[in-house]
Amino acid sequence: MSARIDDLLSRMTWAEKIGQLSIVFRPDPDDAAALVRKGLGSTFWPPSADATNALQRVAVEQTRLGIPLLVGLDVIHGQRTIAPIPLSQAAAFDPELVRALAHLAATEARSGGVTWTFSPMADVSRDPRWGRVSEGFGEDPWLTSLLVAAMVRGYQGDDLSAPDAIAATAKHFVGYGAGEGGRDYNGADLSERALRAVHLPPFEAAVRAGVASVMAAFTSVSGIPMHAHRHLLTEVLKQEWGFDGVIVGDAEGVANLVPHGVAEDLADAVRQAYAAGLDVEMGGSPLSLDAAEIAPGRLDPARVDDAVRRVLATKEALGLFENPYVDPTAEITTPDAASRTLVRAAAARGSVLLHNDGSLPLAAPRRLLLTGPYATSTDHLGAWVQYFGARAGSVADELRDRRPDLDILVEEGVDFLSPTDAGIAAAVRAAREVAVAVVLVGEPSALSGEAASRSDLRLPGRQEELIRAVAATGTPTVVVLVTGRPLVVAGWIDEVAAAVVVWHGGTEAPAAIVDLLLGDAEPSGRLPMSFPRSVGQIPIPYAHENTGRPASTGGTLTAEHHDVGLHGPGNVQDKYSSKYLDLPLGPQFSFGHGSGYARFSHGAPEVSASVFPAEGPDDETVTTVSIEVTNLADRRGDEVVQVYLRDVVASVTQPVRRLVGFARRTLDAGESATVSIALPREVFALWAEGWRVESGAFELHVGSTLATTQAIAVEAR
Ligand code: NOJ
């Protein structure tokens, strides 16, 4: 610990210490200055370089100790240049892309004086009803861990004091993505094993990547709200993993301990939160700086000193004691050409082709129809964007500008949510006059993100009717799906010629969508989260257990089968197995699903070693999987080779498959290449009162999607 921090701590009054332990939301400038004069240590971004400097000046020049402020903001997928939502970034299966996008966001944010972001979201979620899946990296703990670490590196770089670095926050620790029923803020009953195997790994990856802070979750885990969870905050995060950064609360999460029903009042809530290991309270209500709740004697002084040290160390690492101000003439307020190019390429890279009969890319030039609310909507930025993020345009305008030679009809058809179907007839008439109809549908940004759980995951409003009516004309119909979460697409997917998920793609989304339609870019993403067949099937993760009665066929319950006997409907085969009577097996589209515009064949997979020692260093490569991949198409394309693991016999039940490696490769038309993926010992480990590799047989499943993998056996001895 630095001499400066020791010195400051030795001179700080109790009130000055408490001031460092709070971050308040955007107060108006006069209130903010008054709070800072009283010792407030952190604030949300004011929001400009000038306003930030003005507030820093109060902290540095008008307080007794001159401690600079931490300036926080939710920079989630961009500050000015808005990148695709994190779920789309996950679909790109490309950690370097995630790093580069976070670095861009950090550069723009720091230029305006932001030093602390509340990102990445490290919550694994298998429930698309939860609106916040848009902010995360999907259902897989291993992929999420990899991308969380990449995002932390992108924000923080090697040196937090650099002008292109900000402190990152892994959130929401922990179990927030498991809220019962997918309802936001809801509790989760999580076993030690579920925590260790699914929910904790991405946070541990963030800590290993050097994340500066971790945010406590709103949720309760097995009855203990996370803001008061001493075991997880202190024993696991700080002691077991050695996390030496700041644990920040979520907005009013400390005050929320009262309605959670575990604290009598604010004083009790604050006491419990600090005893559990929280360092900074977010919101400001319980810690209003001279409140009786935090008078000396109410909190353990050693715990308070520890929390203050963590905050001051973060300020020191950010270089704020030397350099509290930013140069307002260097503030980046609009995207430049390079940032636009990066986020545009990212939007295509994270788009997932669900299904294609060859109608995409569109054969040009043609007369075509654009219909659906996203033909003209500019709502592409996603749920977590501040008002100063660079807006997107519309797909219709973009296509008209790019291709004045095309004959483009535009009919909105239906609105996002409106109950009226008055525009469908016009869209159908137009569809009859064109060679191809492009239906641009989806969820507006406000339907995903925080406090945006949905119980019905079909397209809202009458958008499904529009798709079906247009497809029924017989004109080839291509659907572009703009969404913040997996949706239920069963009502229309079989009727259309092609469908591509573009998520909320950010500032350059319309350009990227036009690139995909015209074939100037490839939708080369793979699903980071399964698309369910129906809401009743949720959760339907690909990494489910086999059960003692695995099903081999799905149910086929239909209306004709009213003849229900002792053992149920006669048409349901293999009845006493784990499935729904009324659904085929598995999700509509599984994790990992997707293909670009090219087509690939795979040779037989090989491993460098089929037997390896169970014991040894975690990060040691124990075997390398290789497979020859050939691009059979007449165009260049990207293949994402995926490696899944199955632990055949283990001391505790294991997922039928879980992702342990992947490689993305670009191959020219006709090109072949051998793709090799090294597997470290740790991916073979399971959690059973500790991580260990159990000796015995494993299967590796290698391929382009879960549906087409080839198996190869390996053994740990
Ligand atoms: C509440 C959200 O849960 C959290 O993710 C966010 O960082 C804070 N609000 C601050 O805006």
Side-chain angles (χ1 to χ4, degrees):
M1 198 53 68
S2 84
R4 172 177 17 226
I5 294 174
D6 284 339
D7 171 57
L8 279 172
L9 255 181
S10 71
R11 293 191 288 134
M12 287 171 92
T13 63
W14 181 259
E16 282 166 341
K17 289 179 182 173
I18 295 298
Q20 291 299 314
L21 304 188
S22 188
I23 176 165
V24 292
F25 295 122
R26 286 165 211 96
D28 76 47
D30 292 344
D31 292 353
L35 286 168
V36 173
R37 270 186 213 102
K38 280 166 80 177
L40 178 71
S42 303
T43 174
F44 271 62
W45 192 50
S48 70
D50 280 324
T52 307
N53 284 341
L55 215 51
Q56 281 291 19
R57 208 159 283 124
V58 177
V60 172
E61 294 173 11
Q62 301 177 27
T63 64
R64 196 175 71 90
L65 298 170
I67 300 172
L69 295 166
L70 278 179
V71 178
L73 185 70
D74 291 284
V75 182
I76 307 295
H77 51 109
Q79 169 78 341
R80 303 289 185 162
T81 313
I82 304 305
I85 57 170
L87 193 60
S88 165
Q89 295 183 33
F93 276 72
D94 183 354
E96 170 50 26
L97 178 70
V98 171
R99 189 208 58 78
L101 293 170
H103 177 246
L104 170 62
T107 307
E108 292 184 353
R110 182 99 189 216
S111 81
V114 176
T115 46
W116 187 14
T117 180
F118 306 117
S119 169
M121 189 177 101
D123 299 310
V124 170
S125 182
R126 278 115 187 238
D127 197 330
R129 289 172 296 185
W130 191 47
R132 301 199 80 167
V133 299
S134 65
E135 300 173 45
F137 294 126
E139 74 178 56
D140 186 69
W142 185 83
L143 180 63
T144 301
S145 301
L146 197 71
L147 300 181
V148 161
M151 198 174 246
V152 169
R153 285 196 300 275
Y155 287 132
Q156 299 193 164
D158 298 328
D159 174 7
L160 271 182
S161 71
D164 57 352
I166 53 179
T169 304
K171 71 188 189 186
H172 307 80
F173 188 80
V174 62
Y176 189 32
E180 219 171 77
R183 207 164 74 237
D184 210 353
Y185 315 123
N186 209 4
D189 223 336
L190 292 174
S191 64
E192 176 81 2
R193 171 173 131 93
L195 283 168
R196 294 289 181 170
V198 177
H199 300 284
L200 287 171
F203 289 94
E204 190 171 4
V207 172
R208 285 194 201 174
V211 75
S213 72
V214 171
M215 184 184 287
F218 283 130
T219 198
S220 66
V221 169
S222 309
I224 304 179
M226 279 309 306
H227 283 68
H229 209 305
R230 193 183 135 75
H231 170 62
L232 289 168
L233 295 181
T234 295
E235 290 170 12
V236 174
L237 176 56
K238 286 183 170 171
Q239 293 170 354
E240 186 183 320
W241 297 349
F243 174 63
D244 59 4
V246 167
I247 300 184
V248 60
D250 202 345
E252 308 291 354
V254 174
N256 291 170
L257 293 176
V258 177
H260 263 298
V262 299
E264 277 173 20
D265 52 21
L266 280 180
D268 189 21
V270 173
R271 188 190 53 72
Q272 288 194 39
Y274 278 85
L278 193 86
D279 299 309
V280 170
E281 186 276 337
M282 178 185 284
S285 57
L287 285 183
S288 64
L289 301 174
D290 26 47
E293 285 84 358
I294 39 90
R298 300 302 293 260
L299 304 176
D300 171 12
R303 188 64 264 289
V304 167
D305 280 1
D306 168 53
V308 173
R309 273 182 190 281
R310 289 166 183 267
V311 172
L312 296 180
T314 307
K315 293 181 174 184
E316 185 163 70
L318 284 159
L320 292 173
F321 287 101
E322 288 78 21
N323 252 324
Y325 307 113
V326 279
D327 173 4
T329 63
E331 183 176 6
I332 302 166
T333 54
T334 48
D336 63 15
S339 352
R340 285 189 187 273
T341 303
L342 177 63
V343 297
R344 176 169 168 179
R349 216 165 165 78
S351 293
V352 182
L353 192 59
L354 292 179
H355 138 73
N356 188 15
D357 70 355
S359 297
L360 277 177
L362 305 177
R366 281 175 135 177
R367 185 166 207 226
L368 59 98
L369 166 68
L370 299 183
T371 184
Y374 266 116
T376 52
S377 171
T378 59
D379 179 3
H380 289 281
L381 298 194
W384 239 138
V385 167
Q386 316 282 353
Y387 66 89
F388 41 77
R391 312 295 312 169
S394 75
V395 172
D397 288 345
E398 175 74 23
L399 187 59
R400 285 196 196 102
D401 284 357
R402 290 257 293 274
R403 294 296 301 272
D405 59 309
L406 291 182
D407 185 4
I408 304 164
L409 310 187
V410 179
E411 283 293 341
E412 194 194 34
V414 297
D415 189 8
F416 286 119
L417 298 177
S418 142
T420 170
D421 62 353
I424 293 183
V428 164
R429 273 195 303 277
R432 292 208 171 95
E433 294 169 23
V434 294
V436 61
V438 181
V439 192
L440 297 113
V441 289
E443 270 190 333
S445 297
L447 291 199
S448 54
E450 186 178 349
S453 295
R454 290 182 67 207
S455 67
D456 181 345
L457 295 185
R458 290 174 298 178
L459 284 164
R462 305 192 74 161
Q463 298 182 79
E464 289 203 349
E465 278 169 66
L466 174 69
I467 298 173
R468 285 194 297 263
V470 168
T473 61
T475 299
T477 299
V478 167
V479 170
V480 175
L481 193 56
V482 185
T483 175
R485 57 153 65 81
L487 294 175
V488 170
V489 299
W492 53 267
I493 192 75
D494 292 337
E495 323 281 316
V496 301
V500 58
V501 185
V502 299
W503 316 105
H504 291 129
T507 299
E508 289 293 316
I513 292 168
V514 169
D515 290 341
L516 297 176
L517 291 174
L518 299 180
D520 296 340
E522 238 208 328
S524 56
R526 305 292 186 261
L527 290 181
M529 196 170 179
S530 306
F531 273 46
R533 292 177 191 276
S534 79
V535 166
Q537 204 184 28
I538 296 170
I540 184 89
Y542 81 92
H544 61 85
E545 291 187 5
N546 200 37
T547 81
R549 293 183 173 215
S552 53
T553 61
T556 53
L557 189 62
T558 58
E560 309 96 72
H561 292 92
H562 45 79
D563 182 17
V564 178
L566 185 60
H567 296 289
N571 64 321
V572 174
Q573 305 301 310
D574 179 27
K575 178 160 179 266
Y576 293 93
S577 63
S578 182
K579 66 179 171 196
Y580 295 98
L581 283 181
D582 53 357
L583 279 181
L585 292 183
Q588 188 89 40
F589 296 109
S590 176
F591 175 90
H593 175 85
S595 65
Y597 293 149
R599 210 159 46 82
F600 296 89
S601 69
H602 286 194
E606 288 173 10
V607 285
S608 61
S610 50
V611 179
F612 65 88
E615 307 250 335
D618 287 352
D619 57 358
E620 182 188 2
T621 295
V622 293
T623 192
T624 298
V625 184
S626 302
I627 192 163
E628 182 166 86
V629 178
T630 304
N631 181 352
L632 303 175
D634 57 5
R635 57 175 294 147
R636 163 191 270 243
D638 275 21
E639 174 65 309
V640 179
V641 177
Q642 303 165 27
V643 181
Y644 295 88
L645 178 87
R646 178 164 187 169
D647 190 337
V648 184
V649 180
S651 61
V652 289
T653 57
Q654 288 299 298
V656 287
R657 299 185 200 175
R658 58 184 172 84
L659 186 70
V660 292
F662 67 84
R664 185 191 248 271
R665 286 285 179 284
T666 305
L667 294 180
D668 285 328
E671 190 186 347
S672 291
T674 300
V675 174
S676 296
I677 300 169
L679 299 178
R681 179 175 285 101
E682 64 190 358
V683 302
F684 291 86
L686 55 74
W687 173 271
E689 293 166 16
W691 287 105
R692 61 166 186 265
V693 177
E694 291 186 345
S695 45
F698 293 88
E699 287 166 7
L700 295 170
H701 296 257
V702 189
S704 341
T705 68
L706 275 163
T708 58
T709 51
Q710 306 177 69
I712 183 161
V714 291
E715 190 188 332
R717 270 193 203 146

